[in-house]
Structures are given as C-alpha cells and as structure tokens.
Amino acid sequence: MKTAREYVQSLGQLHPVVYAFGERIENVVDHPLTRPHVNAAAMTYHLATLPEYKDLMTATSHLTGATINRFTHIHQNTDDLIKKVKMLRLLGQRTGSCFQRCVGLDALNALYSVTYEMDQAFGTEYHKRLVKYLRKVQDEDLMCAGSMTDPKGDRSLSPHEQPDPDMYVHVVERRSDGIVVSGAKAHQTGIVNSHEFICLPTVAMDEEDKDYALAFALPVDAPGVIHVFGRQSNDTRKLEDSLDQGNARFGTVGGEALTILDNVFVPWDRVFMCGEYQFTRDLVERFASYHRQNYGACKVGVADVIVGAAAAIAECNGVNRASHIRDKLVEMCHLSETLYCGSIACSCEGAKTPSGAYVVDSMLANVTKQNVTRLMYEICRLCQDIAGGFIATLPSERDLKNPEIGKYVQKYFRGSVSYTTEYRFRMARLIENLTAGTALVESMHGAGSPQAQRIMIYRQANLAQKKKLAEAIAGITGAPE
Ligand code: SF4
Ligand code: FE
C-alpha cells in the first residue's frame, strides 16, 4: 500500500493536461486550487497506515491474499459493504469534504460483476481483462476516478440521435490493437489528482447506441485527454488567506473537472465493454446503487462536522443552554443518523452476484440518496439558523489582522469571553464553507440527480404486488389484474 506521502509523490510522475481560470496548471500538488483535493484524497492513504483503522481501511485481496487499501477492494460479503460505509463516514469526519476515491471503487465493483455476466452471455474476455487491471490497481494502490456522466446535449435525444455525436463518449475507430474514443465526461470528481480514470456508460442503451456502449480505463495523462477544472463558490479565496477559506486543508467537495477525450487511443486490455448495449442498464444501475450507498456515509461524516460546528458556534455565541438550540442540535443528529441507517441497511441487505462479488440492495441505496437530497439541506439550514447571520457578513482575515482596524474587528466580533475572536471567525467560516454554495449542491446532484433515484425506486417498487396486498386485506377477490 502507498503512504499518503507516496501517493502525493506519485502524482508528480504524472503529467495530466489541466486547465483552470484559462491557464494550464502544471502541477496539481503545488497549485492552491487543487492542493486541498490532493490532501483530502491523501487521507484515504494515510488512515490505511494507522493500526487503529486497519480493519476499516484495509482488506484482504481476493485475488492475491495481500493486504490492500479498501478503496481497491471487491466486496466479498455484506461485512465488506458495511465496512465501506463506516470507512466513508470516518473519512468525511476527518476531511469535512469529499475525498473522491469512492467513485473509482464503485466503478471497479460494478464492472467486476457485470463483465463476468457479459462473458457468460457472449463468450467475451472482459472479466479476465478487468481482473488483470484490478491487480495492477491493487498492487500499485492506485486512485481511480470514476467517469460516468456524459455531457448529454439535448436530454430528449438518445446518444445516437444527438446532432453532435460527442455528447456521449463513443468509439470512432476499432483497430487491431485497441479503440479510439471521442467525447467528454462531466463533473469528474478528483480526476486531476487521480492516477487513472474508469469510463462507464451513463445511461441504459439499445442497439442503435452500440458505439456508445463503452467501458474502459486510462491514465489521467493519456494523450488527447484534457481536464478543465470547475469553479466553486469562493474559490478565489484559495489564492488569498487561509482563514477565509473555512476548510483550507481539504477544500470544498471533490474538485470536479470536465474531462475531454479528443480521439484517445485505448488498448484492448483496458477495454471492458465495447458494443454490449444489453448490459449497459445493469452496469449503470449497479454503479449508481454503490455510489448512492455512499451518500449516507461520506455525507454523514461531513454532517458530524457540521453538528460539531453548530454546537461550537452556539457556545461561542453564548446560546448553548437555550432549549431550542439543544433541540435543533438533536434534530440535526436525528437526521444525519437516519441517513446513516439507510447506508447500513442497504449494505446488510446486499446480495452475492454470480461473479462472487456483493452488490448493495438497490432500492434501499436509492432511498438513502434520495433522503440525502433533502435531509442534508435541513441539517445545513439548522446549522445556519443556530450560527446566526454573521456567517454571511464577516469581514476578511486581513481586516481581523490589520494593524489599524484589527482591534475593532477583534472586539466587535467576539462572543463569549471563553472563546477568542479567531475561534469564532474560524468556526463561522467553516460553517459557511460546509453549508452554503457548491458543497450543498453535491448533496442534491452527486451520485445522480433526485429524479434518477425516483425512477429506480419506481422500477423496484412492485406496485402490482402491493396492490394485491391491499386487495387481500380489503377482502376483495377477483379484482382485474
Ligand atoms: Fe466519495 Fe462522497 Fe465524494 Fe462521492 S461525494 S466521491 S461518495 S466522498
Ligand atoms: Fe460525489
């Protein structure tokens, strides 16, 4: 396994083409816009080296028997699924941010079972290729981004109907040594500080979309791959002072980018689906379920930080003994633990696939993520309510430290004398960072927008069977089917 330091050093050996603010970022490790995301991802390596977290953060490879980072593991039982949830909550608590590495983990797990089933159905050799690739990922302890979301163009049109075929990643050339692909992937969490990225289809496809039914893996610096780093609320503060950032060390959410594939060559041993549109639905749904499992874990870890920040600011403001404040803190805990229940439940109810790998209960995972789109907003609303309006009107760190007016800022922004003004400043900025802007949008649209979960909930709701239950209880017989 790599240490955090080795992970950071290994990024220096890659040379991805990354742009931000219209300029090339030569080194993501040293650049202030990207460094916090490197730090957050590095935590997935760091905690794995600590004896107290060995059980959660590491696993035994079913391929080699070696001890590996759990972020490269294929779930072998429901206990693995539960440990994944606990690992993500722990990391959310330690970073107060997105540590990005789960998407690649989910892509590998979804591909593991689906390639097995594809090979059974078609006699292809995708699973063998994937296992070889997985060994490399495990042996070198690689961080893989998971690349799912295509730009999608006109949402009313399927991939092959788009006026511009690049709205979905597709094959432009099949060669004896591999394929050439073109298109882009949007909202790529952690990709600029990953080693590899794994592309999956983003929607279920039919025969006419064959050229879009694709799964493959590439290094982030493969020729023809360009990353355009996304903006975040208050991101220019990363170029200024640390206190104003709120979470200077780990940043805000995952450092997402638009990744362009400009006629990129993929050798066959890195291609895991090419034309098997019949399996796109399974691949999309399995990946989505794994990633929706995560949201009652990583977000709950962040919610633990939010609850802590709310409790701290209440003390700073001298309102911690007010019964309505205590009740709001209880409500925040109730909501976040409810989310956690969903992630644990969909893991406990996981099932074995023919490949031997375990998948989560899809219905419960989708319900979990749907709850996140609502309850995280309520948790953040309550935190802002407790904190007070000053989180939105606070002057800058430079005013706090200014030799002329700093003394006034110190004096008038102090709350309880038990706390310094800087403590109150820091806590307010953290709350601003965690509960407003880009961070909250991630709870809505990360792992798929709310409607995507509702579609899957509807599909699995088995309303016909539930209708029969009602008819039986109501004493109705012979009702129309
Ligand atoms: Fe992992 Fe959560 Fe970030 Fe998704 S949003 S990559 S699950 S930390
Ligand atoms: Fe996410």
Side-chain angles (χ1 to χ4, degrees):
M1 293 189 297
K2 279 183 169 57
T3 63
R5 185 185 294 266
E6 286 164 348
Y7 157 65
V8 174
Q9 281 169 350
S10 69
L11 294 179
Q13 272 130 49
L14 296 167
H15 302 285
V17 178
V18 181
Y19 280 85
F21 291 165
E23 285 171 15
R24 180 100 187 253
I25 291 183
E26 295 296 342
N27 180 339
V28 297
V29 172
D30 295 333
H31 199 285
L33 282 178
T34 46
R35 177 71 205 206
H37 308 294
V38 174
N39 291 341
M43 194 60 91
T44 68
Y45 289 91
H46 174 59
L47 294 187
T49 60
L50 303 182
E52 60 267 43
Y53 299 126
K54 187 171 185 284
D55 189 45
L56 282 191
M57 296 293 308
T58 69
T60 302
S61 167
H62 73 294
L63 298 177
T64 63
T67 300
I68 53 171
N69 191 301
R70 190 173 289 283
F71 277 97
T72 67
H73 183 53
I74 300 299
H75 315 299
Q76 298 299 305
N77 44 51
T78 53
D79 198 41
D80 276 343
L81 293 169
I82 295 166
K83 281 182 179 157
K84 177 198 182 197
V85 169
K86 294 185 174 180
M87 168 176 80
L88 302 193
R89 183 170 184 172
L90 171 71
L91 281 155
Q93 292 171 342
R94 292 308 177 90
T95 59
S97 189
C98 165
F99 34 89
Q100 313 138 38
R101 210 175 163 192
C102 336
V103 204
L105 168 65
D106 296 337
L108 285 170
N109 272 275
L111 275 169
Y112 191 87
S113 58
V114 173
T115 53
Y116 184 91
E117 288 159 40
M118 260 196 296
D119 289 1
Q120 298 275 304
F122 299 128
T124 43
E125 54 177 47
Y126 294 121
H127 189 68
K128 204 168 84 192
R129 289 180 196 164
L130 184 83
V131 167
K132 189 172 155 227
Y133 178 71
L134 177 65
R135 259 197 90 144
K136 174 184 165 67
V137 171
Q138 292 185 345
D139 290 350
E140 298 174 31
D141 201 0
L142 298 178
M143 171 162 167
C144 302
S147 300
M148 186 170 215
T149 313
D150 294 80
K152 298 201 197 91
D154 181 339
R155 271 67 173 166
S156 70
L157 304 175
S158 60
H160 76 278
E161 292 170 332
Q162 298 287 335
D164 181 347
D166 286 340
M167 290 304 105
Y168 288 80
V169 172
H170 60 115
V171 186
V172 288
E173 195 188 341
R174 287 181 172 78
R175 297 182 0 196
S176 59
D177 51 349
I179 56 175
V180 178
V181 298
S182 176
K185 291 288 186 180
H187 327 305
Q188 292 304 292
T189 296
I191 198 161
V192 304
N193 51 285
S194 291
H195 304 104
E196 295 265 326
F197 65 110
I198 302 169
C199 282
L200 303 179
T202 194
V203 289
M205 294 173 188
D206 54 31
E207 194 168 0
E208 290 157 304
D209 296 321
K210 239 174 136 164
D211 286 345
Y212 301 81
L214 272 182
F216 56 88
L218 282 169
V220 292
D221 59 352
V225 176
I226 302 162
H227 310 279
V228 188
F229 198 66
R231 292 214 66 166
Q232 299 175 335
S233 318
N234 300 329
D235 54 4
T236 48
R237 290 190 198 175
K238 288 183 181 171
L239 311 173
E240 304 167 359
D241 305 310
S242 72
L243 197 154
D244 289 343
Q245 292 176 43
N247 185 355
R249 188 154 164 226
F250 300 114
T252 307
V253 294
E256 278 72 16
L258 172 72
T259 294
I260 297 144
L261 299 153
D262 184 6
N263 292 295
V264 177
F265 174 70
V266 191
W268 281 118
D269 63 351
R270 284 171 163 271
V271 177
F272 311 124
M273 172 186 270
C274 186
E276 291 76 10
Y277 63 91
Q278 302 93 329
F279 281 87
T280 49
R281 179 179 300 280
D282 282 344
L283 191 50
V284 169
E285 291 191 354
R286 257 174 241 184
F287 169 81
S289 298
Y290 281 130
H291 207 56
R292 290 169 193 168
Q293 169 204 22
N294 302 352
Y295 268 54
C298 72
K299 295 288 172 274
V300 171
V302 174
D304 290 330
V305 179
I306 296 173
V307 172
I313 208 83
E315 284 185 31
C316 276
N317 294 347
V319 296
N320 51 308
R321 289 211 185 80
S323 63
H324 74 97
I325 297 289
R326 218 175 299 153
D327 190 55
K328 281 166 189 159
L329 290 168
V330 169
E331 178 69 6
M332 291 168 78
C333 293
H334 165 71
L335 296 173
S336 65
E337 298 299 343
T338 300
L339 297 176
Y340 186 57
C341 290
S343 283
I344 291 289
C346 73
S347 307
C348 293
E349 292 288 297
K352 193 174 184 175
T353 63
S355 70
Y358 271 65
V359 288
V360 293
D361 182 283
S362 173
M363 174 64 121
L364 297 183
N366 277 279
V367 167
T368 303
K369 168 66 218 302
Q370 179 79 190
N371 282 338
V372 169
T373 67
R374 299 175 183 162
L375 305 194
M376 279 303 287
Y377 280 73
E378 182 61 8
I379 290 167
C380 291
R381 189 185 74 80
L382 288 164
C383 182
Q384 291 183 357
D385 177 352
I386 291 171
F390 86 112
I391 59 165
T393 61
L394 207 56
S396 71
E397 178 179 3
R398 288 181 202 177
D399 295 315
L400 182 73
K401 295 185 175 162
N402 181 283
E404 300 295 316
I405 53 135
K407 59 178 189 251
Y408 299 120
V409 178
Q410 290 278 354
K411 177 178 154 102
Y412 291 113
F413 279 97
R414 189 152 187 191
S416 157
V417 291
S418 306
Y419 292 90
T420 62
T421 306
E422 182 173 332
Y423 183 105
R424 193 162 175 258
F425 245 74
R426 283 191 181 276
M427 212 44 88
R429 285 291 179 221
L430 176 63
I431 290 170
E432 182 194 24
N433 172 284
L434 292 172
T435 67
T438 312
L440 205 44
V441 179
E442 226 239 344
S443 288
M444 180 67 78
H445 293 288
S449 304
Q451 192 57 22
Q453 289 112 56
R454 299 186 84 80
I455 289 167
M456 281 181 70
I457 290 169
Y458 177 75
R459 196 176 293 140
Q460 297 170 84
N462 205 347
L463 293 180
Q465 185 238 354
K466 290 186 169 77
K467 190 177 143 211
K468 284 209 179 326
L469 295 176
E471 286 166 355
I473 300 290
I476 298 166
T477 50
E481 284 294 318

